[in-house]
Amino acid sequence: MVDERARHFRRLRRLRGSARRWSVLAGGLGGAAAVLTPYAGLGLADAAWAGAAGSAIAVAAWRWVDHRALAAVPPPPALDPAEAAARSRARLVAAVERLPVGPGVLAEVRRVRSRLALRGTAAAEPWARLDRAALTLAGLTGRMTGLAEPAVREAAEADRSLRELATRVAGVERALNMAPRGPLAEVHATLVTQLTDGVAAYERLVVAAAGYVAEDARPNTEHPAAARLTEATDLLHGVASALAELRTPLRTP
């Protein structure tokens, strides 16, 4: 997003600089026309000098008029520092995402930042397990097609839900330091149990997904590449035996 206040002052500086340049040019051409016309008399060259000077004067006047009109417009309000920082961060993220390895780097940075935010809470260890399982499932997702596609969608939804639950657990745990240990402690224990059970179920889903991919990729017969290599090996052995027989000298009776 563009800072409208900065754009306003940038346009004002450009108009002022343009008006000054055209004023200098108009003064130079006007002075040259005023001196050269009486000096050599009227001619075609004098008409060119006078036309160029008049055009420069007109353009300079228009530039000053535009500058005064823009200067009369109140500038947009200054951005809030937090909003300016958010815009700068958004521009930086957009620039990194355009790089070939940008999305992966940003995903890793977000993962590390989220893990650091949960450090020291009961949600840190389940979050780390969820991260490992999610990375494993991401490597298998491309091969889970057909009947396995609903399971992939369910896994994505469960991943978002479990991460929200982990954030909630961390928030409740921080609130325990300021509130009496009563009903809030029971709620925290319940949330931790739900998070742990959910992560365990997610890990079981990843194991099942790995088994599905392994069974789907296992052929019932020998792999074609292995069969071709066996045939090529037998062929080379046959050629080597034939060459050995040709090099053996014939025995005379």
Side-chain angles (χ1 to χ4, degrees):
M1 300 178 66
V2 182
D3 187 354
E4 296 297 334
R5 184 179 178 87
R7 174 187 285 182
H8 174 83
F9 286 112
R10 223 172 15 246
R11 290 180 58 195
L12 196 62
R13 286 194 299 270
R14 283 200 297 265
L15 280 174
R16 183 169 58 248
S18 177
R20 288 176 176 176
R21 287 192 296 272
W22 280 104
S23 298
V24 172
L25 181 61
L29 291 175
V35 171
L36 294 177
T37 298
Y39 178 77
L42 296 175
L44 185 61
D46 300 311
W49 280 109
S55 300
I57 292 172
V59 173
W62 288 337
R63 289 290 185 270
W64 282 114
V65 169
D66 293 340
H67 175 264
R68 289 177 181 175
L70 185 61
V73 176
L79 284 177
D80 182 71
E83 185 178 356
R87 292 186 178 185
S88 300
R89 186 165 53 251
R91 286 195 294 269
L92 178 61
V93 169
V96 173
E97 283 182 341
R98 287 193 291 268
L99 299 175
V101 296
V105 172
L106 289 176
E108 184 62 27
V109 169
R110 294 189 184 104
R111 186 179 297 110
V112 172
R113 185 177 60 185
S114 300
R115 186 178 299 178
L116 290 177
L118 300 176
R119 185 173 56 182
T121 65
E125 194 270 338
W127 182 281
R129 289 168 51 195
L130 181 61
D131 261 350
R132 290 192 296 269
L135 289 174
T136 304
L137 185 61
L140 302 173
T141 301
R143 300 175 184 177
M144 296 179 63
T145 57
L147 297 176
E149 289 182 356
V152 174
R153 292 192 295 268
E154 289 294 334
E157 183 63 30
D159 181 82
R160 288 191 295 269
S161 178
L162 289 172
R163 292 185 189 278
E164 292 176 0
L165 180 58
T167 305
R168 193 177 304 118
V169 167
V172 173
E173 185 170 339
R174 293 187 181 100
L176 281 175
N177 299 325
M178 299 178 291
R181 291 182 177 271
L184 191 59
E186 296 178 2
V187 172
H188 176 261
T190 302
L191 292 177
V192 171
T193 302
Q194 291 179 355
L195 178 60
T196 305
D197 294 343
V199 172
Y202 190 90
E203 290 173 336
R204 290 194 296 271
L205 174 65
V206 174
V207 172
Y212 171 84
V213 172
E215 289 296 333
D216 186 59
R218 185 173 65 178
N220 295 328
T221 59
E222 188 180 11
H223 196 277
R228 289 194 299 269
L229 289 174
T230 302
E231 294 176 359
T233 303
D234 295 339
L235 176 62
L236 290 176
H237 280 306
V239 172
S241 299
L243 290 175
E245 291 181 359
L246 288 176
R247 290 179 180 178
T248 301
L250 296 175
R251 296 181 179 180
T252 56

